Amino acid sequence: MKPTQALWKRVARHALSTKQTNKGYYKGTGTGSMGRHTPHGGYIIEWDKVRTYVVPKNLKDFKLTPFVTKKIKPTKGRFENDPKGAMSGEAYLARWKSENGED
Amino acid sequence: MSTSTSVRLAIRRLLHPNRSARISPSFLPSLIAPPGSVTRCTPFSTTSPSSYPRDNNPDRGVSSMRRSGPRQPLSISKTALPKPVEVSKLPKVIVDENHGLWQFFHKRDKPMNTPTEDDAHGRPWTVEELRGKSWEDLHALWWVCCKERNIIATEAFERKRLEAGYGEAESKARDLAVRRTQRGIKQVLTERYYSWSDAEALAQKDPEIDLSGDGPLYTPSYFEDQASEELEELEEELEELQEVAQAPELAPETKPGEKPSPNA
């Protein structure tokens, strides 16, 4: 659909839409890239890019809910003034060595 | 109009005596008599002219609002109108108890939770509480959060559609709590990934760790250097303990102050 001459003047004040130009204005729909275009106008789907949803196997018997009882006070992690805190690689490695290293 | 109705009708009959005889239906060959016999033609329209009102408006007096019915009886006029069934006697819709769409509602007997029921939830998970959870637990918890948000969104849509009234604020607060739990899950996974990748980089240069694949992965150096000294100390303590244990059997009346306890 292309606007009439009278409407063109009013449409010019709005943001450009994909229905207005002949070509060159591509605007996606927010679904993301699922593959690549071929030189002859086709499209090849790259299945690594396609999102899949994996259902957790223990979902049916899962007892936890999105909420925790208010009787337990919210706890915060202790990182002993480590500036990296939870993202520290050294702490991860040290913990791995003590808990998991000798398996 | 100067002429009266009866005069007008009389004049009409005089001027058009064979009104009914003039038109012969050609599409009904059974009615067309063989030539020579007396032709009795039937009029095209079954409606007799006098049944039309004076202004020839066929819909004069016909009103659906006032339920007048048609001017001419229809074939369906012989059939009696069906009577509506009472709501309580209507056949009940059979619904599968295990239908998946039931998972979009909190309860089956009503379309949405009351505001009190919606408000009766706990607090969101803290990041510290989630840090102790395994991948499988976090994965399942995420899906539980997604399903809860779907239920909340369904009920919010129903509340708006039915104009049910109160409940939007409680619904939004519940949704916020679920979203905060989801945020914590994402935070934990991000932390784990970043710290793991940093640890992997450190492990490449760590002398205790051998990532080549031949030999043990982790050989702690601590054991080789200092453990032997600690072993000797432990053995000495063990001997002292054994002496203390044996002494009371020989002399049970020893003073407790003389022999120091090994744990002091």
Side-chain angles (χ1 to χ4, degrees), chain B residues 111-187:
Chain B
M112 67 195 76
N113 266 354
T114 60
T116 322
E117 287 166 349
D118 244 359
D119 201 40
H121 62 263
R123 62 163 175 80
W125 287 69
T126 59
V127 184
E128 181 58 26
E129 288 161 357
L130 289 164
R131 277 188 193 119
K133 288 290 168 195
S134 64
W135 165 265
E136 287 80 19
D137 275 354
L138 290 175
H139 191 191
L141 187 59
W142 178 272
W143 274 64
V144 167
C145 289
C146 281
K147 289 175 89 167
E148 180 64 27
R149 285 191 65 204
N150 281 341
I151 295 170
I152 293 165
T154 309
E155 295 194 343
F157 188 87
E158 271 296 284
R159 193 176 295 109
K160 207 172 172 188
R161 183 182 75 87
L162 299 169
E163 292 174 17
Y166 298 108
E168 192 190 340
E170 288 85 353
S171 182
K172 283 191 170 177
R174 195 183 177 102
D175 189 61
L176 183 67
V178 177
R179 282 201 338 260
R180 285 198 171 142
T181 305
Q182 289 187 305
R183 181 186 69 181
I185 294 170
K186 263 195 174 178
Q187 167 87 12

Side-chain angles (χ1 to χ4, degrees), chain B residues 200-207:
Chain B
E200 204 187 13
L202 284 170
Q204 309 279 353
K205 298 168 187 172
D206 197 320

Side-chain angles (χ1 to χ4, degrees), chain B residues 209-217:
Chain B
I209 292 169
D210 173 31
L211 293 164
S212 62
D214 3 284
L217 185 62

